[in-house]
Amino acid sequence: MIPTARPAAPATLPAGTGHAPCHHGEILQGVFLDGAGRRCAGLVTLPMAGPGSRARFRRWPGTSPQALTVVPADRTKAARAAALAVAECAERTGRPPCGGELRLTGDIPVGLGMGSSTSDVIATVRAVADSYGLRLPPDTVARLAVRAEQACDPLMLDRRPVLFAQREGRVLEVLGPALPPLVVVGCALGGGAPVDTLTLPAPTPAEADAGEVRAFERLRALLRRAVATGDVRLLGEVATASAWRGQRALCHPEFDALTGIARRVGAAGVQIAHSGAVAGLLFDPAAPGLRRRVRGCLHALDAHGIPATRTFTTTEEIPHGPAHRGVDRPAGPGPARRRARLPAL
């Protein structure tokens, strides 16, 4: 699928570009009921501005769809997404599918549970669509992303807080227009070592205990209320409860220290990626003494040997849209993606 030499083909077509953000792990993840009462794995991610993936795709008309090159060559999920997106866009425009060249750049650490692979995939789909002069709707992007990587995060929806069925690529519930404003003190558990998600126990929704499903549905209702009322404290309670349930699979040794720090410095709660090592302490930006609380949090993390990463707010803007050429910087092979820490602010 990825030849070593570029086929002879016209190079006059403009390249399409695409961008996708990352996230900072989950606020809530578990097994939920859809509108028909069917069990579904679902999650709500914590949006994060800054790191992201950028893609540039140039079509080679007249070549075989298998004549696809990807730089860096190890982005196999993005390669699958490119082939799927080419087929989708060719069908929509009535043009024959063809090969092309995909180039990816990005600064999302891998293995920390920040959606790096989904970001690559969505940026790729957006770049391919842009090369055809199209802007695919989010549900189509989600469908292609699930086909490319079996499960995906809701990054195609940008900042909207949704309960998302990651294995099916569909929204179970729109929780509201936006999360309450948060200040997040990020950190990396396990020394920032990447987590191999394939080794984690992953029971299917059908295997979930009925009591567990009821517990997750209660957390869903509480999160819905937190978003509707802007209640940061309630959102923090939901995130902490979800992190506690995820801890049974992840077994982070720093978990008790992290929740203890949150209590001492007056954080609203903690959130931990359910498929990685990134974590955050959540603060209400309107709480009195916020700077003092954040400084105390950073000192406490350091005292426990937990590396702080990035302190950010959820109100920062995220660049988005597949056809905004001014947003995406020219992509190139670039250095290999970093495997550990986020840059500290």
Side-chain angles (χ1 to χ4, degrees), residues 59-83:
R59 289 188 291 119
W60 295 334
T63 62
S64 165
Q66 283 71 44
L68 177 67
T69 64
V70 181
V71 181
D74 63 349
R75 306 294 171 84
T76 55
K77 294 178 181 178
R80 288 196 293 271

Side-chain angles (χ1 to χ4, degrees), residues 261-328:
I261 291 170
R263 288 192 298 270
R264 289 196 300 276
V265 301
V270 301
Q271 58 88 211
I272 298 176
H274 288 242
S275 60
V278 73
L281 292 97
L282 310 178
F283 291 86
D284 185 344
L290 176 64
R291 290 184 178 274
R292 172 180 51 80
R293 295 172 191 267
V294 170
R295 283 196 301 268
C297 178
L298 292 169
H299 288 314
L301 288 173
D302 184 63
H304 282 85
I306 302 173
T309 54
R310 176 184 292 244
T311 299
F312 65 97
T313 71
T314 56
T315 54
E316 298 174 63
E317 291 187 359
I318 291 179
H320 56 89
H324 298 298
R325 297 180 186 274
V327 169
D328 297 310

